[in-house]
């Protein structure tokens, strides 16, 4: 029975014309049991394989949709794990059979057929996560990617905050002589702010005193220096 099930996944490539062909396959629990493996025991799928043959190679595109039953590592409850797979394969005609990469394989140019059962299983098996969690746990699971995204966002916010602080700091320069007082009096809520006037008659100017508030000691010190 096992052999007969796997034989249904054969494709006769020797008699195929050099053009594009479509092959359709389905599988259920018996398919996974027939492969005598421990990764998957229950599931179902539909596979469409577009096969494009020419003189030197066969290019294949697998489209596999279905789900398999997995056991949660945390609760030991079973759940259905869905998958939707698109995978490419290239079979290049040669004088030997050898797997070069996951997507490139050399096959004997005189080969009569290929069996896609193992490829279908391998593509499905690659979708199984290392840590199998029931869907009710996946929302609470913290992944490496989510942590890295969080750290990157926080770093960008800190950098932006530092740039804004720098913009608020106005640089008056190191040379105090470059700074000039405004020659206008500014009145703010009844308080009179005094300024010095720049010009040739600077020494003859007088500073008015506010009758509402004593003169600031700093102004007095400045005036004393000017008088000397």
């Amino acid at each position: 029975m096992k052999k007969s099930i796997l034989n249904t996944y054969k494709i006769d490539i020797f008699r195929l014309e050099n053009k594009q062909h479509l092959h359709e396959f389905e599988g259920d629990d018996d398919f996974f049991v027939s492969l005598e493996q421990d990764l998957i025991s229950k599931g179902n799928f539909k596979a469409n394989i577009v096969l494009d043959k020419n003189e030197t190679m066969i290019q294949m595109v697998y489209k596999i949709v279905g789900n398999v039953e997995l056991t949660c590592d945390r609760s030991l409850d079973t759940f259905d794990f869905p998958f939707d797979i698109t995978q490419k394969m290239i079979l290049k005609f040669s004088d030997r059979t050898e797997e070069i990469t996951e997507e490139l394989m050399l096959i004997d140019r005189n080969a009569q057929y290929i069996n896609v059962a193992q490829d279908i299983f391998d593509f499905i098996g690659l979708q199984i996560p290392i840590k199998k969690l029931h869907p009710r746990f996946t929302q609470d699971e913290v992944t490496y990617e989510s942590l890295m995204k969080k750290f990157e966002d926080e770093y960008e916010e800190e950098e932006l905050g530092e740039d804004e602080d720098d913009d608020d700091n106005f640089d008056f320069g190191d040379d105090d002589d470059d700074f000039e007082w405004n020659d206008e009096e500014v009145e703010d809520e009844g308080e009179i702010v005094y300024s010095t006037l720049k010009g040739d008659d600077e020494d003859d100017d007088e500073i008015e005193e506010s009758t509402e508030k004593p003169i600031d000691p700093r102004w007095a010190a400045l005036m004393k220096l000017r008088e000397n």
Side-chain angles (χ1 to χ4, degrees):
M1 179 180 178
K2 294 179 181 179
K3 186 175 180 180
S4 62
I5 291 176
L6 296 180
N7 283 339
T8 61
Y9 295 89
K10 284 183 178 181
I11 299 177
D12 187 347
I13 61 173
F14 188 76
R15 294 181 177 83
L16 287 180
E17 297 180 8
N18 291 339
K19 64 177 186 178
Q20 194 173 92
H21 306 268
L22 174 64
H23 297 268
E24 298 179 348
F25 301 95
E26 293 186 3
D28 52 20
D29 298 350
D30 292 336
F31 169 82
F32 296 104
V33 173
S34 299
L35 290 170
E36 299 181 351
Q37 44 74 42
D38 299 325
L39 181 62
I40 303 171
S41 59
K42 295 182 179 181
N44 60 81
F45 65 86
K46 290 184 178 181
N48 292 335
I49 302 176
V50 178
L51 186 152
D52 191 358
K53 180 184 178 183
N54 59 42
E55 295 292 342
T56 60
M57 68 180 67
I58 297 176
Q59 300 182 65
M60 307 172 67
V61 178
Y62 290 75
K63 178 68 174 179
I64 311 170
V65 178
N67 62 80
V68 294
E69 183 182 277
L70 300 180
T71 300
C72 177
D73 293 333
R74 183 177 298 179
S75 66
L76 300 182
D77 294 335
T78 58
F79 64 97
D80 287 336
F81 179 80
F83 53 81
D84 188 341
I85 304 167
T86 300
Q87 183 68 42
K88 296 181 180 180
M89 280 285 294
I90 296 177
L91 306 179
K92 191 172 182 180
F93 296 125
S94 178
D95 55 358
R96 67 187 189 280
T97 299
E98 181 183 356
E99 183 177 357
I100 305 301
T101 67
E102 294 180 354
E103 297 184 357
L104 175 62
M105 185 173 182
L106 302 180
I107 63 170
D108 193 322
R109 59 175 50 90
N110 296 317
Q112 300 291 314
Y113 65 89
I114 58 174
N115 194 314
V116 297
Q118 188 63 49
D119 287 339
I120 291 174
F121 173 78
D122 290 343
F123 296 148
I124 295 175
L126 289 173
Q127 302 298 308
I128 306 302
I130 296 176
K131 188 173 184 179
K132 299 181 284 293
L133 292 176
H134 193 282
R136 68 174 178 269
F137 297 125
T138 55
Q139 293 182 350
D140 299 330
E141 187 69 10
V142 178
T143 63
Y144 172 80
E145 289 78 9
S146 64
L147 286 175
M148 289 301 296
K149 182 65 167 61
K150 179 181 179 182
F151 293 150
E152 289 174 358
D153 291 343
E154 291 178 352
Y155 178 78
E156 291 177 357
E157 290 178 359
E158 292 178 359
E159 288 290 314
L160 181 60
E162 291 178 0
D163 292 341
E164 291 177 349
D165 291 342
D166 291 342
D167 293 339
D168 293 338
N169 295 329
F170 183 83
D171 186 7
F172 287 98
D174 295 333
D175 191 354
D176 295 337
D177 294 338
D178 294 337
F179 181 79
E180 295 183 1
W181 293 100
N182 190 347
D183 58 358
E184 297 181 357
E185 293 183 352
V186 180
E187 183 174 351
D188 184 12
E189 298 182 356
E191 179 179 346
I192 300 178
V193 180
Y194 297 95
S195 64
T196 58
L197 299 177
K198 184 176 180 181
D200 296 336
D201 300 332
E202 204 172 30
D203 294 337
D204 297 333
D205 293 339
E206 295 181 354
I207 296 180
E208 300 176 2
E209 290 186 352
S210 171
T211 58
E212 299 179 1
K213 186 177 179 180
I215 189 170
D216 192 316
R218 291 172 295 180
W219 289 108
L222 288 173
M223 290 304 302
K224 184 176 182 180
L225 287 175
R226 293 180 57 189
E227 292 174 357
N228 295 334

